[in-house]
Amino acid sequence: MMEGSDQEESSTMETTAANVKRAIQYWLDKSTIHITPRWILFTVLLSLFFLRIYLIQGYFIVAYGLGIFLLNNFIAFLSPLEDPSRPEDDGVGLPSTAKEGKEYRPFARRLPEFKFWMACTRGVGTSIVMTFFSVFDVPVFWPILLMYFGVLFFMTMKRQIAHMYKHRYVPISFGKSKYKDAGKERGEFGGGMAGSIGSGGNPSLVVVGG
């Protein structure tokens, strides 16, 4: 009897965990197209984290670790999927000829936008949880950490910008040109001949005499 009840409990827990994972994945999939609300949520969480750090005046090492983590993800977000400085890389590369440069090729990132947001949000959430455990409150002199992070940020971004300038790429895809009223049909019947002779008023009869 005890073995049967234990198996039922474990099966129920596995089913519940699977349902929770499925629900989380469902809402994550629905949020992929809502870029602005997702980053607003990230900004709110990051603001709450720094507000907690300011109020309790501690966990500066956690804030420093979070800054390094976010910086690494940001560099991966700005970097191309195929590094042009390493010819052995395979995949969607940057244009290497004038003909390829004229073609529309969206910028393929090493870290896509959604995964970038997901990693940053998880990092901030984990950091907030860590501030509730005193074991992570290591006493440090925070101005030194802030200065070191500023130098690291400056040097890393300088190297990334130099890489972008050297290989002539911009980590932004504006997409193809969009034309006004593209795909819209006009006229009384919306046909391809809408707007032709006689479509604007009463139809006229043309008689050809022989």
Side-chain angles (χ1 to χ4, degrees), residues 50-63:
F50 282 113
L51 178 62
R52 176 164 174 78
I53 293 295
Y54 174 76
L55 292 177
I56 62 181
Q57 290 295 305
Y59 298 94
F60 298 113
I61 195 68
V62 177

Side-chain angles (χ1 to χ4, degrees), residues 64 68 71 143-159:
Y64 175 76
I68 298 297
L71 179 60
I144 294 181
L145 289 180
L146 182 61
M147 182 181 64
Y148 184 72
F149 177 77
V151 173
L152 184 63
F153 179 82
F154 174 78
M155 297 300 296
T156 305
M157 291 305 300
K158 180 181 178 181
R159 183 179 58 184

Side-chain angles (χ1 to χ4, degrees), residues 6-205:
D6 291 341
Q7 291 180 355
E8 289 180 359
E9 290 180 0
S10 62
S11 177
T12 302
M13 292 178 61
E14 291 177 357
T15 303
T16 303
N19 291 334
V20 170
K21 291 181 179 179
R22 192 178 299 110
I24 293 175
Q25 189 61 44
Y26 170 78
W27 288 108
L28 286 176
D29 293 340
K30 287 181 68 68
S31 68
T32 53
I33 60 174
H34 303 289
I35 299 177
T36 302
R38 283 193 284 107
W39 285 105
I40 290 176
L41 174 63
F42 167 76
T43 305
V44 170
L45 290 177
L46 188 62
S47 301
L48 290 176
F49 171 74
F50 282 113
L51 178 62
R52 176 164 174 78
I53 293 295
Y54 174 76
L55 292 177
I56 62 181
Q57 290 295 305
Y59 298 94
F60 298 113
I61 195 68
V62 177
Y64 175 76
L66 176 62
I68 298 297
F69 176 77
L70 296 180
L71 179 60
N72 289 333
N73 282 277
F74 184 59
I75 294 300
F77 175 72
L78 296 179
S79 302
L81 178 62
E82 178 185 357
D83 191 348
S85 62
R86 293 185 296 178
E88 65 274 9
D89 285 354
D90 297 325
V92 181
L94 298 172
S96 57
T97 63
K99 183 179 179 181
E100 291 180 354
K102 293 180 181 178
E103 298 176 356
Y104 170 72
R105 302 179 65 182
F107 182 78
R109 305 179 185 278
R110 185 188 305 174
L111 183 64
E113 182 273 333
F114 181 78
K115 291 184 178 180
F116 175 49
W117 170 82
M118 192 69 183
C120 293
T121 305
R122 284 177 175 174
V124 175
T126 303
S127 299
I128 293 176
V129 173
M130 291 173 66
T131 59
F132 290 94
F133 298 92
S134 59
V135 67
F136 298 110
D137 190 10
V138 180
V140 292
F141 188 57
W142 67 265
I144 294 181
L145 289 180
L146 182 61
M147 182 181 64
Y148 184 72
F149 177 77
V151 173
L152 184 63
F153 179 82
F154 174 78
M155 297 300 296
T156 305
M157 291 305 300
K158 180 181 178 181
R159 183 179 58 184
Q160 183 66 25
I161 293 173
H163 187 272
M164 293 164 53
Y165 181 77
K166 178 181 178 181
H167 299 285
R168 300 182 181 278
Y169 69 90
V170 178
I172 300 176
S173 296
F174 296 100
K176 292 184 177 180
S177 300
K178 297 181 180 180
Y179 300 94
K180 185 179 180 180
D181 298 336
K184 293 183 179 180
E185 296 180 344
R186 297 181 177 276
E188 184 178 357
F189 300 103
M193 295 299 293
S196 59
I197 299 176
S199 61
N202 296 326
S204 57
L205 178 65

